[in-house]
Amino acid sequence: MLKTLLVLAVTCTPVFSAPEGRPALPPPVTVLIEFDKPHSVRSIAAMERETAHILQLSGIRVEWLMMKDLAPHAEFSDLVIVHFRGSCGMDEIPMPLDERGVLGLSYASDGEVLPFGEVQCDRVKQSLRSVVPASRFRASEELLGRALGRVVAHEMYHILANDQRHTNDGLTRPGLSARDLVSPELLYPEHAAEAVSRHRNPN
Ligand SMILES: [Zn+2]
């Protein structure tokens, strides 16, 4: 928690400026990620692609940074911290868990959603067991990445739209199934995508 508070203390100074004569790209949302355990590099690369794809449809550019690579006194215009719990790689087959558990979560205080998300890798993997044959489980790192990317994007909806509620359809409905996590595409429904895009332009 101390580390989190220290990071937050350096988050609020805009550092973006456009070269003269060139239109300014919107500053990225930096997602600072931290892992409990060793993780699959391939899965995490796939996760980053999936989340970035979903967010860019709302005009949000995502930049990723590992907590271990965080420079002292780093400054960010827009920061979200995501902590990955459990084993985020397919080499470790998860112990059976209660399937009703959450795949990810975000935190709120006084009705405001805070820029902290959490992903439960073992629960995501547990969910995948119902759609990935046991013989292919260990080779499904890309699929794990897609699933993780959708869980991250779901939590980033809550955070960027500052909305604890869910929608009736799409990626922002509650209780995503294993098929939702691995289907060819699952995006924010239109009104959720618009709410996320207003993160940058509240009016
Ligand atoms: Zn949710």
Side-chain angles (χ1 to χ4, degrees):
M1 181 52 84
L2 179 61
K3 192 185 284 183
T4 299
L5 291 174
L6 287 174
V7 169
L8 268 187
V10 294
T11 59
C12 295
T13 308
V15 291
F16 182 80
S17 62
E20 214 171 309
R22 246 190 266 167
L25 279 172
V29 173
T30 303
V31 183
L32 190 57
I33 55 180
E34 186 173 42
F35 295 89
D36 270 354
K37 291 187 171 185
H39 56 275
S40 157
V41 171
R42 196 165 164 204
S43 292
I44 298 311
M47 175 200 79
E48 293 178 355
R49 286 196 301 275
E50 181 68 17
T51 305
H53 168 64
I54 295 164
L55 269 291
Q56 60 96 15
L57 296 173
S58 292
I60 301 288
R61 193 160 57 91
V62 179
E63 179 182 84
W64 302 89
L65 181 63
M66 298 279 243
M67 185 71 86
K68 67 180 177 57
D69 296 330
L70 183 64
H73 313 299
E75 295 183 353
F76 305 97
S77 61
D78 209 345
L79 182 72
V80 171
I81 299 171
V82 180
H83 192 107
F84 291 84
R85 300 211 178 274
S87 160
C88 303
M90 294 304 247
D91 49 339
E92 210 173 294
I93 294 174
M95 298 291 287
L97 295 166
D98 181 350
E99 290 185 12
R100 293 167 300 176
V102 296
L103 303 174
L105 53 93
S106 43
Y107 298 92
S109 172
D110 288 336
E112 297 285 311
V113 182
L114 303 174
F116 304 110
E118 199 171 291
V119 176
Q120 300 284 347
C121 288
D122 288 330
R123 287 198 190 281
V124 173
K125 283 160 56 177
Q126 175 77 15
S127 181
L128 295 188
R129 287 182 82 164
S130 63
V131 290
V132 178
S135 59
R136 290 185 41 219
F137 197 77
R138 288 178 195 275
S140 300
E141 291 181 315
E142 292 274 337
L143 220 47
L144 172 64
R146 183 188 299 176
L148 293 174
R150 289 179 184 178
V151 175
V152 171
H154 176 107
E155 298 310 327
M156 286 187 70
Y157 156 74
H158 290 304
I159 292 167
L160 299 180
N162 190 22
D163 195 335
Q164 299 175 61
R165 296 170 299 177
H166 290 98
T167 57
N168 294 326
D169 54 354
L171 178 56
T172 45
R173 69 175 183 272
L176 296 175
S177 69
R179 294 208 177 280
D180 291 331
L181 295 178
V182 300
S183 63
E185 187 156 83
L186 184 68
L187 302 172
Y188 295 147
E190 197 176 332
H191 48 295
E194 286 169 1
V196 169
S197 69
R198 284 196 294 274
H199 171 69
R200 279 287 157 67
N201 303 297
N203 301 316

